[in-house]
Amino acid sequence: MTSAQTPTHPLVTASGLSKRFAAPRRLSDLFNGQRPHIYAVDGIDLCIGKGESVGLLGESGCGKTTTGRLLLKLTEPSAGSIAFDGVAIDTLKGNDLTAFRKRAQLVFQNPFDALNPRFTIERVLAEPLVNTGVERASHRDKVEKALAQVRLPPLSRFEGLFPHQLSGGQLQRIVLARALVLEPDFIVADEPVSMLDVSVRAGVLNVMREVRATLGLAALYISHDLALVRYVCSTTLVMYLGKIVEQGPTADLLKMPLHPYTRALVNAVPVPRVDQSHEALPIIGNVSDARGQPRGCRFRDRCPMAVARCAEEEPPLRDLGQGRQVACHLA
Amino acid sequence: MADQQPVLEIRDLSVEYRTARGVVRAVDGISFSVPKGAILGLVGESGCGKTTVARSITGVLHQSARIAGGELLLHGRDLVSGPPKAWLDARWREISFVPQSAMNSLDPVYRIGSQIEEVLVHRGGKTRAEARARASALFEMVGLNPGRLDEYPHQFSGGMRQRVAIALALALNPSLVIADEPVTALDVIVQRQILDVIRDLQQRLSLSMILVTHDISVVAYLCDQVVVMYAGRVVESGSTREVLEQPRHPYTMGLTNAFPDLESAAHELVPIDGSPPDLSQPLVGCRFQPRCPFSLPVCSSDDPRTEVAETGARFACHRHAESDLLRRHSRDIATWQRPQ
């Protein structure tokens, strides 16, 4: 299943999604009477099918975390709409909103900060059930089930333990179990293993892959780590300055990237082998300012291939067949 | 290169921290040396003592820490037993340090240029004018525009600040640069740019360097030699090629398997279950034994001796003679799985 053609059973669809934040005003803005904005997310469309796992790649500041928060209704879009299982989520209130929250969960980045240090592990895991009014009698069963899904021992082994008494790898699994305890259909995992040591990271990644396969969970993995995305996601989106610049099946996209930015990302990653290419990076400079909505391609000032047209006309996301889409005039 | 005197030789170094729970020996009798003109990677998990080793070489340890034994020979002269003044003099001039987060290591209220000049004037004995010229040259060396010397740290991006930290470390032409996780906090593209700056400078200036990292791919990209630490000990060391391609210690085997790789990511990653031992407790036998799938009864009673191969590679494992066999088993995920 790829997201480029609309999946047969779409779960999350976003169209024309934008989020802008007020930028700090400069003196010249005051004189000109302008209120500048930063476009963190600038008119993106995406579609995640039931049971599909999608990776969202990009550098810090490209808008990937904002996209995740928008999809979970943790922040409101400035424009565009999001539908979850066919229902628009922007007007959800009261019981409908609670029902949505039960089905769409967030897995936090830093397991050391994500759990209340004064709650026992049991309470941490049961809290989402309490908050959404699930009947108390079923709590223990649901918690045990979630623990088994993330391959942790049963609750009796965590009796009376607090988060600081667990290791980082165990904590990250607890954070994942807490998201799973409500039996959601969709999770957003924001940099789920970036805080973990290598030896335990592999264990958590394996659990994520397994959970996705056995529960048929749809997931959005937000990361700057290409290897993670390669390992857990069937489809990958690449973001640059608030826009999706390329998307397609992960394996193809990383093997033969079409957008110059994706090519630079793939090229930049060192691999854990002694013999590796030391080709020069096909990219210069840093991410430019996200103030306002510039004309033309946003990547052109760093792009080694940029031509005159790139400054004039913004490249649309074009379909190239085989599930691949790219926003580049030259691809 | 092998015949030359190493820039730095560490012999049997131990470092202890006084904590509320008693004395913790974070570094326990480690030895390795840094050849001239080489980059040595010091790898291991958090808490294995790699940062403590880096800090003890600079002589700037936390106040609760002390060097409990061993020698640090800089050009053959011991810093630990020598006069404190000699160590102080060596700092910046002979040994410099690139900290982990350059974001926090620059003073936000001083212009970047004046922070570099301060080092040059106070430690290097240069005049203001000389310092200014040298600061410009350093900026160019690390790929920054000297026109931005008068800007403040907040005007620089994370990658640019990391370049400043490298420029600062090179200010007085030290013979050894120690970099503690210099690229960890950075995005992939910026990370690669900084790695390329380090590689380029190392080749042009034939720098000797210790690169502290947890990232095996950074080691593979940049380092000539690698030292693998676990729970305060060196478990394996040698040339990068030998250690990464033919690891002889099960921990190194585990580390190389646990690392996702872009090209071969389809196969399952093999995690190492468990966590490192508590160093405040007395430890008997091999420290990796509780997590090691290949352990024998002897591993929990006796410390493994450090063996030296003909190639100069060192490893501390009771089963080193069977390393070819263990390496094959280590690639199988079932080897590392144990009942919860």
Side-chain angles (χ1 to χ4, degrees):
Chain A
M1 214 186 310
T2 66
S3 72
Q5 294 100 24
T6 311
T8 28
H9 300 288
L11 182 68
V12 185
T13 30
S15 56
L17 197 60
S18 294
K19 178 71 184 177
R20 56 175 208 201
F21 296 102
R25 293 170 86 180
R26 296 174 183 148
L27 197 57
S28 60
D29 295 328
L30 283 177
F31 286 128
N32 300 333
Q34 280 173 347
R35 294 189 170 275
H37 286 100
I38 287 170
Y39 285 79
V41 178
D42 193 4
I44 66 171
D45 299 322
L46 63 87
C47 182
I48 300 170
K50 283 182 179 152
E52 192 186 21
S53 65
V54 174
L56 187 58
L57 268 180
E59 288 175 89
S60 15
C62 74
K64 56 191 196 301
T65 295
T66 307
T67 305
R69 294 175 59 87
L70 285 168
L71 295 182
L72 291 176
K73 201 176 161 62
L74 296 173
T75 180
E76 296 299 325
S78 311
S81 62
I82 303 162
F84 184 81
D85 212 0
V87 181
I89 64 166
D90 46 332
T91 52
L92 289 181
K93 279 200 181 69
N95 287 341
D96 293 338
L97 184 59
T98 309
F100 167 71
R101 295 255 181 262
K102 274 163 108 168
R103 296 184 64 192
Q105 283 285 312
L106 179 66
V107 179
F108 288 91
Q109 175 172 11
N110 185 344
F112 303 97
D113 287 345
L115 304 174
N116 187 331
R118 291 171 185 276
F119 280 16
T120 59
I121 294 301
E122 183 177 359
R123 193 165 163 204
V124 161
L125 289 168
E127 200 193 10
L129 298 168
V130 175
N131 289 349
T132 51
V134 175
E135 55 170 325
R136 195 158 278 276
S138 67
H139 286 191
R140 185 132 191 141
D141 280 352
K142 286 186 190 286
V143 168
E144 293 285 13
K145 205 172 129 199
L147 283 173
Q149 281 162 352
V150 299
R151 293 224 188 162
L152 279 174
L155 199 52
S156 55
R157 292 274 294 276
F158 296 106
E159 205 77 71
L161 289 185
F162 289 90
H164 73 269
Q165 290 163 299
L166 269 56
S167 71
Q170 282 176 319
L171 282 180
Q172 191 54 280
R173 289 174 201 221
I174 294 283
V175 169
L176 183 61
R178 185 175 64 169
L180 296 178
V181 78
L182 289 168
E183 296 166 11
D185 300 310
F186 176 53
I187 57 169
V188 172
D190 192 353
E191 301 278 11
V193 294
S194 63
M195 298 296 292
L196 302 178
D197 263 314
V198 188
S199 69
V200 291
R201 185 184 289 191
V204 175
L205 287 179
N206 284 341
V207 163
M208 293 197 152
R209 221 156 76 146
E210 222 173 82
V211 162
R212 187 200 93 210
T214 53
L215 303 184
L217 205 62
L220 182 75
Y221 292 95
I222 299 170
S223 184
H224 67 269
D225 183 346
L226 276 74
L228 176 145
V229 165
R230 173 81 173 85
Y231 195 61
V232 287
C233 304
S234 52
T235 303
T236 295
L237 316 176
V238 182
M239 261 184 109
Y240 188 77
L241 279 179
K243 291 272 186 195
I244 290 178
V245 295
E246 180 164 3
Q247 67 182 63
T250 310
D252 301 347
L253 185 138
L254 294 182
K255 198 182 288 166
M256 208 186 68
L258 297 173
H259 196 282
Y261 177 64
T262 321
R263 213 170 296 143
L265 275 183
V266 172
N267 205 326
V269 181
V271 294
R273 272 196 312 275
V274 184
D275 297 300
Q276 53 182 304
S277 81
H278 293 140
E279 269 176 58
L281 263 190
I283 185 173
I284 43 163
N286 292 301
V287 182
S288 50
D289 205 347
R291 268 169 167 259
Q293 288 169 299
R295 252 154 63 101
C297 175
R298 289 168 189 221
F299 185 61
R300 67 169 191 275
D301 49 347
R302 300 175 77 188
C303 183
M305 298 155 58
V307 294
R309 186 177 171 205
C310 302
E312 294 302 317
E313 201 184 317
E314 184 171 336
L317 201 58
R318 285 184 298 134
D319 205 329
L320 297 181
Q322 286 166 337
R324 305 199 56 175
Q325 289 181 300
V326 63
C328 176
H329 291 306
L330 304 165
Chain B
M1 192 156 74
D3 308 329
Q4 278 183 356
Q5 188 182 42
V7 173
L8 179 82
E9 190 179 350
I10 298 180
R11 281 195 201 146
D12 209 22
L13 179 76
S14 296
V15 183
E16 291 177 346
Y17 287 89
R18 287 188 315 273
T19 71
R21 290 184 304 145
V23 173
V24 173
R25 192 166 261 233
V27 174
D28 190 14
I30 67 154
S31 305
F32 64 84
S33 55
V34 187
K36 203 164 166 24
I39 302 187
L40 178 136
L42 191 56
V43 286
E45 289 175 77
S46 26
C48 76
K50 55 190 194 300
T51 296
T52 303
V53 171
R55 292 206 160 264
S56 35
I57 299 168
T58 61
V60 186
L61 279 166
H62 190 264
Q63 53 179 9
S64 68
R66 67 178 193 96
I67 293 183
E71 294 171 87
L72 290 167
L73 304 168
L74 182 71
H75 302 301
R77 287 190 316 276
D78 185 20
L79 293 169
V80 180
S81 62
K85 173 87 168 49
W87 206 339
L88 182 73
D89 285 343
R91 218 171 285 151
W92 273 144
R93 298 192 188 112
E94 287 290 331
I95 304 170
S96 66
F97 190 68
V98 180
Q100 180 161 4
S101 61
M103 324 274 164
N104 308 327
S105 68
L106 296 168
D107 193 323
V109 299
Y110 288 99
R111 295 177 198 278
I112 301 241
S114 65
Q115 298 188 46
I116 298 179
E117 286 158 27
E118 187 186 354
V119 171
L120 290 163
V121 171
H122 290 286
R123 303 290 303 168
K126 298 234 188 319
T127 65
R128 281 275 159 207
E130 284 166 359
R132 186 75 192 176
R134 174 76 179 145
S136 297
L138 286 166
F139 250 48
E140 266 167 21
M141 212 188 274
V142 296
L144 290 170
N145 176 4
R148 299 190 61 176
L149 274 169
D150 283 331
E151 290 185 15
Y152 290 92
H154 75 268
Q155 291 168 291
F156 279 46
S157 70
M160 289 163 74
R161 272 179 273 189
Q162 200 64 52
R163 286 174 198 253
V164 172
I166 294 172
L168 259 173
L170 298 177
L172 299 176
N173 288 321
S175 35
L176 178 68
V177 177
I178 299 164
D180 189 1
E181 303 270 12
V183 295
T184 302
L186 305 172
D187 274 318
V188 275
I189 290 181
V190 185
Q191 167 177 340
R192 169 65 185 274
Q193 288 166 342
I194 299 294
L195 292 179
D196 287 345
V197 167
I198 294 176
R199 169 198 292 282
D200 173 55
L201 289 172
Q202 190 260 339
Q203 282 165 358
R204 273 200 293 155
L205 312 175
S206 71
L207 280 179
S208 312
M209 220 174 151
I210 297 179
L211 190 87
V212 178
T213 181
H214 68 276
D215 190 337
I216 289 197
S217 36
V218 168
V219 170
Y221 188 71
L222 215 54
C223 298
D224 309 295
Q225 307 232 334
V226 58
V227 172
V228 183
M229 282 187 74
Y230 185 78
R233 293 262 169 95
V234 172
V235 294
E236 184 160 6
S237 64
S239 78
T240 304
R241 179 176 298 276
E242 192 169 359
V243 172
L244 294 191
E245 289 182 354
Q246 290 176 327
R248 291 187 175 89
H249 195 284
Y251 178 63
T252 321
M253 296 175 197
L255 268 190
T256 47
N257 282 331
F259 227 86
D261 176 334
L262 265 195
E263 282 141 57
S264 50
H267 69 77
E268 195 148 15
L269 293 178
V270 188
I272 308 174
D273 270 347
S275 43
D278 180 355
L279 296 176
S280 66
Q281 303 300 319
L283 298 165
V284 189
C286 173
R287 292 172 178 206
F288 188 57
Q289 180 273 330
R291 298 173 82 186
C292 182
F294 307 121
S295 70
L296 301 173
V298 64
C299 301
S300 42
S301 58
D302 293 357
D303 248 352
R305 272 199 10 222
T306 300
E307 309 286 338
V308 186
E310 286 161 22
T311 55
R314 292 162 172 265
F315 35 89
C317 175
H318 286 297
R319 298 187 71 180
H320 64 88
E322 304 160 78
S323 63
D324 287 334
L325 178 73
L326 301 189
R327 210 175 302 131
R328 239 173 296 137
H329 283 305
S330 76
R331 295 199 191 105
D332 183 4
I333 188 164
T335 306
W336 298 84
Q337 269 162 358
R338 53 186 65 198
Q340 293 269 356

